[in-house]
Amino acid sequence: VPCLQVASHPFLAARASEAMAKSKNHTGHNQSYKNHRNGIKRTRRPKKMSMSGMNCKFVRNQAYAKKGMKCSPEEKEERLKAQKEAQKKMEEKKATEKAQRLKELEEMKEAEKLKAANKQAKKDAQAAAKK
């Protein structure tokens, strides 16, 4: 009955509880072995990018745009034709605007030349009047 004697004495009882304390809290023993049993694999890449955290207005619009893009081959051909026609119209419009702008620039240059010539003529007239 030595246990009773240890518990009966206050000093020995305190020492016994200290001896019972757990000293090891953690160990990595055997963990790497267990991890490598099935192999350490790379994470799978998602098939679709997550839309969470994106601008909801953009996400909604994107969905509508994707839905609108779905069409039959005939409809796709018509769309391409319409797109090419629109492109031609835009190029023609650009060309006419460029020609118009060049014409305006030319007119402005001519106006500047006339203005400079008039100014010079005035100076010459004033110089002649003084003499």
Side-chain angles (χ1 to χ4, degrees), residues 18-109:
E18 282 178 20
M20 296 294 286
K22 183 177 173 187
S23 60
K24 193 191 320 184
N25 292 322
H26 174 73
T27 179
H29 175 69
N30 203 38
Q31 297 308 310
S32 62
Y33 171 78
K34 282 163 48 176
N35 290 336
H36 285 83
R37 289 270 292 183
N38 296 318
I40 296 178
K41 298 180 179 75
R42 291 185 179 185
T43 56
R44 284 191 176 163
R45 290 189 61 135
K47 289 180 183 175
K48 264 176 112 179
M49 197 172 86
S50 172
M51 297 287 183
S52 64
M54 275 193 189
N55 185 353
C56 5
K57 192 174 181 183
F58 167 77
V59 172
R60 201 176 314 122
N61 188 51
Q62 192 180 39
Y64 294 139
K66 283 179 184 175
K67 192 176 180 184
M69 290 293 285
K70 291 180 184 176
C71 61
S72 63
E74 298 87 26
E75 199 176 356
K76 195 171 190 178
E77 221 172 279
E78 286 176 28
R79 283 182 181 183
L80 281 171
K81 283 181 185 175
Q83 188 180 8
K84 285 180 181 175
E85 287 173 17
Q87 186 67 29
K88 281 182 187 176
K89 283 182 184 177
M90 283 299 294
E91 285 173 4
E92 288 171 7
K93 189 178 177 183
K94 247 187 183 177
T96 55
E97 283 179 359
K98 189 174 183 180
Q100 183 71 26
R101 180 71 178 142
L102 287 172
K103 192 176 176 184
E104 284 177 12
L105 287 171
E106 199 65 37
E107 287 173 1
M108 284 175 65
K109 277 186 182 178

